[in-house]
Amino acid sequence: MANSDLIIIGSGPGGYVAAIRAAQLGAKVTIVEKEKIGGTCLNYGCIPTKALCQSASSVLLAKRMEEFGVIVGEPRVDMSKVHAWKQRAVDELTGGVEKLLKGYKVNVLHGEAKLIHKNKILVSMPDGKSSELESKYILIATGSKETIPDVPGMDLEGVVTSKELLGFEGLPERLLIYGGGYIAMEFASIYNALGSKVTVMVRSKVLRLMDGEISKRMNVFLRRKGVTLYEGTLLDRIEEGQDELVIHASGKTGEVVLGADMVLVATGNTPNVEGLGCEDVGIKTGEKGIVVDELYRTSTEGIYAIGDVLGPPYLAHVASAEGRAAAEAMFGKPTKVNYDVIPAAVFTIPEVGTVGKTEEELQSKGTPYRVGKFLFGGNGKAVAMGEEEGLVKVLAYEDGKLAGVHIIGPHASDLIHEAAIAMHAGVTAEEMDSCIHAHPTLAEVFHEAVMNVTGQAIHQLPKRR
């Protein structure tokens, strides 16, 4: 007899959302988690980095207080208190998830799960004991792990992943970051603001998968804030020097040799399927990860998979959407995730928000489109806040429907959702143009960019003819 209707392996944003949705649909659910409830996102990713970002932003604001007429003196960073603030946020949110699971009567079992049958798993407990569980359905939601490149010196002390850096309560005087994705960019902004001398080294360019204009502006903003940037540079090896790590790399202009106190390796993720026993039960995997159909069913009957184990995009909110959809598919209410409209945010300083197609994607496919842009420098709220850096860029198809929106500037992570909702609903630029936006708000920047698509932006000089 089955122990549950559904066993979920992993309690991250995909796993716990699936558990709650399945419980809402009347299922008896068990979650198996080998580490901490909340997974990487709540414990070692999204939440702790956002807490650190708040501390970093507060340092920058404190340095500018006199501009606003408030005299507070030179700010001083206490890293022990910074990390206490980070941990408070983590504990509050993971505790909240635990209460939710308990409230929905989800059974939580701590241990490492291995698939042994299409309806059974073996759980190895921390105390050395093991338990066999049976269920009608099994959902794999084990997330991803950081990829470590095959470069000599990666095992040296002081060469860390983002998870390890989050657990380091000191402040490295010189931090070298290898990678140019969102994790690398967030840590570059955070540690630059906190006081480290930050160097970013990336094989191609920063934020290379985002719209090219966003990437170029991020490059400028990083340099302007004192970050040293080496784009198009390949890390060759790391050596142990006298009281420092010595980084050897090769770039467009030849060999690069640098010294650093700590090296953060942030070159990407890979699906976390090792030791799960996928091959033992016939689950098909591909280059990106576990292969599923439109209802998140694997090649083995009764076993589903969601989130990072499927491959990119490695985004918590995508895992959550897939977790909900998978639970609904299992228990009679199948829905679909709209992969054409996935908002993403990078919590740099300033922030980045993006959704839909980039200009480069539209150009590569020969798709006709229109562009509308508006700078935060022309917005009353941004000027009053003293945060005029950045812009909103709107891409629209010829029929007026939005193809993509890309933002770099204050509160971009929040503003991008107006664009996402418009795209999800199929609202055109002309329809958005007619929608009144409150003044003075940052949302007016998006409104003006949309109006600029049709050539009707008010607070922007006309184009020269």
Side-chain angles (χ1 to χ4, degrees), residues 21-50:
R21 185 65 185 122
Q24 288 174 341
L25 293 171
K28 183 180 179 183
V29 184
T30 295
I31 279 184
V32 180
E33 173 58 60
K34 71 175 182 178
E35 292 188 12
K36 297 179 179 179
I37 294 296
T40 295
C41 178
L42 267 68
N43 291 283
Y44 314 113
C46 320
I47 301 307
T49 51
K50 303 306 107 48

mmCIF file of all heavy atoms in Angstrom, residues 21-50:
data_model
loop_
_atom_site.group_PDB
_atom_site.id
_atom_site.type_symbol
_atom_site.label_atom_id
_atom_site.label_comp_id
_atom_site.label_asym_id
_atom_site.label_seq_id
_atom_site.Cartn_x
_atom_site.Cartn_y
_atom_site.Cartn_z
ATOM 1 N N ARG A 21 0.278 22.811 -3.693
ATOM 2 C CA ARG A 21 -0.803 22.746 -4.695
ATOM 3 C C ARG A 21 -1.445 21.360 -4.714
ATOM 4 O O ARG A 21 -2.674 21.236 -4.806
ATOM 5 C CB ARG A 21 -0.266 23.099 -6.082
ATOM 6 C CG ARG A 21 -1.359 23.168 -7.150
ATOM 7 C CD ARG A 21 -2.334 24.298 -6.872
ATOM 8 N NE ARG A 21 -3.440 24.308 -7.817
ATOM 9 C CZ ARG A 21 -4.716 24.212 -7.460
ATOM 10 N NH1 ARG A 21 -5.053 24.100 -6.189
ATOM 11 N NH2 ARG A 21 -5.671 24.246 -8.379
ATOM 12 N N ALA A 22 -0.629 20.309 -4.607
ATOM 13 C CA ALA A 22 -1.177 18.952 -4.580
ATOM 14 C C ALA A 22 -2.049 18.745 -3.346
ATOM 15 O O ALA A 22 -3.125 18.123 -3.420
ATOM 16 C CB ALA A 22 -0.037 17.936 -4.609
ATOM 17 N N ALA A 23 -1.603 19.281 -2.217
ATOM 18 C CA ALA A 23 -2.397 19.170 -0.985
ATOM 19 C C ALA A 23 -3.718 19.911 -1.121
ATOM 20 O O ALA A 23 -4.765 19.444 -0.650
ATOM 21 C CB ALA A 23 -1.597 19.711 0.195
ATOM 22 N N GLN A 24 -3.692 21.073 -1.798
ATOM 23 C CA GLN A 24 -4.933 21.815 -2.034
ATOM 24 C C GLN A 24 -5.917 21.006 -2.870
ATOM 25 O O GLN A 24 -7.128 21.149 -2.731
ATOM 26 C CB GLN A 24 -4.626 23.134 -2.754
ATOM 27 C CG GLN A 24 -3.936 24.171 -1.882
ATOM 28 C CD GLN A 24 -3.516 25.405 -2.677
ATOM 29 O OE1 GLN A 24 -3.411 25.364 -3.906
ATOM 30 N NE2 GLN A 24 -3.265 26.503 -1.972
ATOM 31 N N LEU A 25 -5.374 20.123 -3.729
ATOM 32 C CA LEU A 25 -6.212 19.288 -4.588
ATOM 33 C C LEU A 25 -6.589 17.968 -3.924
ATOM 34 O O LEU A 25 -7.148 17.077 -4.563
ATOM 35 C CB LEU A 25 -5.484 19.030 -5.915
ATOM 36 C CG LEU A 25 -5.283 20.268 -6.795
ATOM 37 C CD1 LEU A 25 -4.367 19.965 -7.968
ATOM 38 C CD2 LEU A 25 -6.618 20.812 -7.293
ATOM 39 N N GLY A 26 -6.244 17.849 -2.634
ATOM 40 C CA GLY A 26 -6.672 16.689 -1.867
ATOM 41 C C GLY A 26 -5.684 15.550 -1.761
ATOM 42 O O GLY A 26 -6.015 14.474 -1.232
ATOM 43 N N ALA A 27 -4.459 15.757 -2.231
ATOM 44 C CA ALA A 27 -3.470 14.685 -2.210
ATOM 45 C C ALA A 27 -2.750 14.583 -0.868
ATOM 46 O O ALA A 27 -2.576 15.580 -0.154
ATOM 47 C CB ALA A 27 -2.434 14.909 -3.315
ATOM 48 N N LYS A 28 -2.351 13.365 -0.539
ATOM 49 C CA LYS A 28 -1.496 13.120 0.617
ATOM 50 C C LYS A 28 -0.052 13.171 0.132
ATOM 51 O O LYS A 28 0.356 12.375 -0.708
ATOM 52 C CB LYS A 28 -1.811 11.751 1.230
ATOM 53 C CG LYS A 28 -1.020 11.444 2.495
ATOM 54 C CD LYS A 28 -1.392 10.066 3.037
ATOM 55 C CE LYS A 28 -0.573 9.748 4.290
ATOM 56 N NZ LYS A 28 -0.882 8.373 4.790
ATOM 57 N N VAL A 29 0.730 14.138 0.649
ATOM 58 C CA VAL A 29 2.042 14.452 0.080
ATOM 59 C C VAL A 29 3.164 14.249 1.099
ATOM 60 O O VAL A 29 3.028 14.611 2.278
ATOM 61 C CB VAL A 29 2.085 15.910 -0.426
ATOM 62 C CG1 VAL A 29 3.412 16.208 -1.112
ATOM 63 C CG2 VAL A 29 0.931 16.188 -1.380
ATOM 64 N N THR A 30 4.283 13.708 0.605
ATOM 65 C CA THR A 30 5.511 13.608 1.389
ATOM 66 C C THR A 30 6.639 14.294 0.633
ATOM 67 O O THR A 30 6.811 14.059 -0.571
ATOM 68 C CB THR A 30 5.903 12.138 1.645
ATOM 69 O OG1 THR A 30 4.908 11.514 2.459
ATOM 70 C CG2 THR A 30 7.252 12.038 2.354
ATOM 71 N N ILE A 31 7.391 15.137 1.325
ATOM 72 C CA ILE A 31 8.588 15.755 0.759
ATOM 73 C C ILE A 31 9.806 15.106 1.400
ATOM 74 O O ILE A 31 9.858 14.933 2.618
ATOM 75 C CB ILE A 31 8.617 17.277 1.019
ATOM 76 C CG1 ILE A 31 7.745 18.021 0.007
ATOM 77 C CG2 ILE A 31 10.041 17.827 0.946
ATOM 78 C CD1 ILE A 31 7.786 19.516 0.137
ATOM 79 N N VAL A 32 10.788 14.770 0.565
ATOM 80 C CA VAL A 32 12.067 14.269 1.060
ATOM 81 C C VAL A 32 13.130 15.307 0.727
ATOM 82 O O VAL A 32 13.316 15.684 -0.436
ATOM 83 C CB VAL A 32 12.435 12.907 0.430
ATOM 84 C CG1 VAL A 32 13.780 12.426 0.969
ATOM 85 C CG2 VAL A 32 11.353 11.878 0.711
ATOM 86 N N GLU A 33 13.823 15.803 1.748
ATOM 87 C CA GLU A 33 14.832 16.851 1.587
ATOM 88 C C GLU A 33 16.119 16.429 2.286
ATOM 89 O O GLU A 33 16.106 16.104 3.470
ATOM 90 C CB GLU A 33 14.311 18.169 2.170
ATOM 91 C CG GLU A 33 15.326 19.297 2.225
ATOM 92 C CD GLU A 33 15.917 19.642 0.874
ATOM 93 O OE1 GLU A 33 15.149 20.016 -0.036
ATOM 94 O OE2 GLU A 33 17.156 19.518 0.738
ATOM 95 N N LYS A 34 17.232 16.451 1.540
ATOM 96 C CA LYS A 34 18.490 16.006 2.138
ATOM 97 C C LYS A 34 19.229 17.121 2.870
ATOM 98 O O LYS A 34 20.128 16.854 3.668
ATOM 99 C CB LYS A 34 19.402 15.378 1.092
ATOM 100 C CG LYS A 34 20.006 16.322 0.083
ATOM 101 C CD LYS A 34 20.980 15.569 -0.818
ATOM 102 C CE LYS A 34 21.648 16.493 -1.805
ATOM 103 N NZ LYS A 34 22.632 15.775 -2.660
ATOM 104 N N GLU A 35 18.856 18.385 2.601
ATOM 105 C CA GLU A 35 19.519 19.493 3.298
ATOM 106 C C GLU A 35 18.496 20.312 4.069
ATOM 107 O O GLU A 35 17.880 19.833 5.003
ATOM 108 C CB GLU A 35 20.326 20.330 2.294
ATOM 109 C CG GLU A 35 21.531 19.579 1.733
ATOM 110 C CD GLU A 35 22.437 20.452 0.911
ATOM 111 O OE1 GLU A 35 22.297 21.692 0.939
ATOM 112 O OE2 GLU A 35 23.310 19.894 0.225
ATOM 113 N N LYS A 36 18.277 21.579 3.643
ATOM 114 C CA LYS A 36 17.374 22.455 4.379
ATOM 115 C C LYS A 36 16.115 22.743 3.586
ATOM 116 O O LYS A 36 16.147 22.860 2.361
ATOM 117 C CB LYS A 36 18.085 23.783 4.718
ATOM 118 C CG LYS A 36 19.296 23.620 5.634
ATOM 119 C CD LYS A 36 19.949 24.974 5.887
ATOM 120 C CE LYS A 36 21.149 24.846 6.808
ATOM 121 N NZ LYS A 36 21.813 26.154 7.054
ATOM 122 N N ILE A 37 15.011 22.867 4.302
ATOM 123 C CA ILE A 37 13.741 23.224 3.662
ATOM 124 C C ILE A 37 13.908 24.570 2.954
ATOM 125 O O ILE A 37 14.471 25.526 3.492
ATOM 126 C CB ILE A 37 12.613 23.319 4.705
ATOM 127 C CG1 ILE A 37 12.328 21.944 5.304
ATOM 128 C CG2 ILE A 37 11.355 23.908 4.087
ATOM 129 C CD1 ILE A 37 11.801 20.937 4.310
ATOM 130 N N GLY A 38 13.407 24.646 1.731
ATOM 131 C CA GLY A 38 13.537 25.878 0.943
ATOM 132 C C GLY A 38 14.557 25.766 -0.161
ATOM 133 O O GLY A 38 14.596 26.600 -1.062
ATOM 134 N N GLY A 39 15.404 24.727 -0.088
ATOM 135 C CA GLY A 39 16.374 24.499 -1.150
ATOM 136 C C GLY A 39 17.404 25.600 -1.290
ATOM 137 O O GLY A 39 17.601 26.435 -0.401
ATOM 138 N N THR A 40 18.066 25.611 -2.445
ATOM 139 C CA THR A 40 19.129 26.579 -2.703
ATOM 140 C C THR A 40 18.616 28.009 -2.661
ATOM 141 O O THR A 40 19.244 28.894 -2.083
ATOM 142 C CB THR A 40 19.775 26.295 -4.071
ATOM 143 O OG1 THR A 40 20.419 25.013 -4.026
ATOM 144 C CG2 THR A 40 20.814 27.357 -4.415
ATOM 145 N N CYS A 41 17.452 28.249 -3.267
ATOM 146 C CA CYS A 41 16.937 29.619 -3.387
ATOM 147 C C CYS A 41 16.822 30.316 -2.034
ATOM 148 O O CYS A 41 17.381 31.393 -1.831
ATOM 149 C CB CYS A 41 15.582 29.606 -4.082
ATOM 150 S SG CYS A 41 14.830 31.239 -4.224
ATOM 151 N N LEU A 42 16.136 29.679 -1.109
ATOM 152 C CA LEU A 42 15.907 30.329 0.181
ATOM 153 C C LEU A 42 17.142 30.325 1.073
ATOM 154 O O LEU A 42 17.344 31.258 1.854
ATOM 155 C CB LEU A 42 14.745 29.659 0.911
ATOM 156 C CG LEU A 42 13.372 30.301 0.672
ATOM 157 C CD1 LEU A 42 12.917 30.085 -0.767
ATOM 158 C CD2 LEU A 42 12.335 29.741 1.631
ATOM 159 N N ASN A 43 17.974 29.295 0.959
ATOM 160 C CA ASN A 43 19.093 29.146 1.884
ATOM 161 C C ASN A 43 20.424 29.673 1.356
ATOM 162 O O ASN A 43 21.219 30.219 2.118
ATOM 163 C CB ASN A 43 19.251 27.671 2.264
ATOM 164 C CG ASN A 43 18.110 27.163 3.111
ATOM 165 O OD1 ASN A 43 18.044 27.438 4.305
ATOM 166 N ND2 ASN A 43 17.186 26.421 2.509
ATOM 167 N N TYR A 44 20.670 29.500 0.048
ATOM 168 C CA TYR A 44 21.995 29.837 -0.483
ATOM 169 C C TYR A 44 21.950 30.666 -1.764
ATOM 170 O O TYR A 44 22.982 30.841 -2.421
ATOM 171 C CB TYR A 44 22.779 28.542 -0.787
ATOM 172 C CG TYR A 44 22.727 27.513 0.307
ATOM 173 C CD1 TYR A 44 22.065 26.306 0.118
ATOM 174 C CD2 TYR A 44 23.336 27.739 1.537
ATOM 175 C CE1 TYR A 44 22.003 25.352 1.118
ATOM 176 C CE2 TYR A 44 23.285 26.790 2.548
ATOM 177 C CZ TYR A 44 22.616 25.603 2.330
ATOM 178 O OH TYR A 44 22.555 24.657 3.323
ATOM 179 N N GLY A 45 20.785 31.161 -2.140
ATOM 180 C CA GLY A 45 20.693 31.854 -3.417
ATOM 181 C C GLY A 45 19.884 33.123 -3.361
ATOM 182 O O GLY A 45 20.320 34.151 -2.840
ATOM 183 N N CYS A 46 18.645 33.045 -3.877
ATOM 184 C CA CYS A 46 17.806 34.238 -4.055
ATOM 185 C C CYS A 46 17.710 35.113 -2.813
ATOM 186 O O CYS A 46 17.960 36.321 -2.870
ATOM 187 C CB CYS A 46 16.388 33.826 -4.452
ATOM 188 S SG CYS A 46 16.262 32.463 -5.600
ATOM 189 N N ILE A 47 17.348 34.512 -1.694
ATOM 190 C CA ILE A 47 17.038 35.303 -0.502
ATOM 191 C C ILE A 47 18.286 35.866 0.187
ATOM 192 O O ILE A 47 18.349 37.080 0.445
ATOM 193 C CB ILE A 47 16.180 34.494 0.480
ATOM 194 C CG1 ILE A 47 14.866 34.072 -0.197
ATOM 195 C CG2 ILE A 47 15.907 35.292 1.753
ATOM 196 C CD1 ILE A 47 14.086 35.212 -0.835
ATOM 197 N N PRO A 48 19.300 35.067 0.503
ATOM 198 C CA PRO A 48 20.472 35.654 1.161
ATOM 199 C C PRO A 48 21.182 36.706 0.312
ATOM 200 O O PRO A 48 21.669 37.703 0.842
ATOM 201 C CB PRO A 48 21.377 34.456 1.450
ATOM 202 C CG PRO A 48 20.885 33.359 0.583
ATOM 203 C CD PRO A 48 19.425 33.596 0.405
ATOM 204 N N THR A 49 21.224 36.501 -1.015
ATOM 205 C CA THR A 49 21.877 37.513 -1.843
ATOM 206 C C THR A 49 21.082 38.814 -1.863
ATOM 207 O O THR A 49 21.657 39.901 -1.913
ATOM 208 C CB THR A 49 22.087 37.022 -3.287
ATOM 209 O OG1 THR A 49 20.849 36.517 -3.812
ATOM 210 C CG2 THR A 49 23.140 35.929 -3.343
ATOM 211 N N LYS A 50 19.748 38.716 -1.822
ATOM 212 C CA LYS A 50 18.937 39.944 -1.793
ATOM 213 C C LYS A 50 19.105 40.684 -0.473
ATOM 214 O O LYS A 50 19.074 41.920 -0.430
ATOM 215 C CB LYS A 50 17.458 39.638 -2.031
ATOM 216 C CG LYS A 50 17.150 38.916 -3.332
ATOM 217 C CD LYS A 50 17.684 39.576 -4.576
ATOM 218 C CE LYS A 50 18.859 38.925 -5.241
ATOM 219 N NZ LYS A 50 18.889 37.529 -5.513
#
